[in-house]
Amino acid sequence: IENIVVKRSDLSFYIVSQGVFPSLNELSPVIESYYLGTKAKYVTKIKEILGFSNNIHKNFKPINIKSVLMINNKLKTFAQKHNNVFFIDRNTPICSSTYNCFLSVNDKPIFSDPTHFSIYGGEIVGKYILDKVKEM
């Protein structure tokens, strides 16, 4: 990659960060609540009766934060060494800080499972990335 970046200094290259992930335990209630709509109160009650957690949290601490920080620091360092390489942190629109990210926005889930964005989450992150490319 280094050779290509140097040889093609007439081009711009964009590196998109490693993404953060919630745990399935944190994510499941949000997804169930969204997709089941009004039926969610019944699912919540059944979980309560059976002793499962029924807490719906709007935020999460990424379970992969150590690897995200390590990978993204290496990517940022690489980008800083080259005038034609730009780092875009895809976590910015879905996190308020390094350790606090959103499971949902406007009561719509950001993720469809722990490692994939929902259509809504993909739209938020995709728009952010394209806007950053336009700015650079």
Side-chain angles (χ1 to χ4, degrees):
I1 294 174
E2 178 104 29
N3 289 337
I4 294 170
V5 167
V6 171
K7 285 181 183 177
R8 294 305 311 259
S9 60
D10 58 317
L11 297 177
S12 294
F13 296 88
Y14 301 90
I15 298 175
V16 178
S17 70
Q18 170 68 36
V20 294
F21 305 139
S23 72
L24 187 57
N25 286 340
E26 290 174 304
L27 183 60
S28 290
V30 174
I31 291 175
E32 289 171 6
S33 174
Y34 179 74
Y35 288 108
L36 294 175
T38 57
K39 294 180 184 176
K41 64 183 177 183
Y42 301 109
V43 171
T44 300
K45 190 63 179 172
I46 290 168
K47 284 184 172 183
E48 184 182 314
I49 291 167
L50 295 175
F52 295 109
S53 172
N54 62 354
N55 295 328
I56 297 178
H57 300 284
K58 299 275 184 180
N59 299 329
F60 72 95
K61 179 182 177 185
I63 61 171
N64 63 332
I65 194 62
K66 286 183 183 179
S67 64
V68 166
L69 291 173
M70 181 187 70
I71 291 167
N72 290 346
N73 283 335
K74 287 182 180 188
L75 295 173
K76 282 184 216 174
T77 300
F78 180 80
Q80 290 168 349
K81 290 179 183 178
H82 304 280
N83 292 332
N84 60 333
V85 179
F86 304 94
F87 177 80
I88 301 172
D89 188 352
R90 73 179 186 171
N91 301 311
T92 299
I94 61 165
C95 297
S96 61
S97 70
T98 302
Y99 301 100
N100 188 33
C101 301
F102 310 118
L103 285 168
S104 63
V105 172
N106 298 327
D107 292 324
K108 295 178 185 176
I110 299 288
F111 297 90
S112 58
D113 64 48
T115 60
H116 295 96
F117 290 121
S118 65
I119 291 172
Y120 184 68
E123 288 174 350
I124 291 171
V125 173
K127 181 181 180 329
Y128 176 79
I129 292 170
L130 291 175
D131 287 347
K132 293 308 270 182
V133 168
K134 289 176 188 175
E135 285 176 21
M136 298 174 168

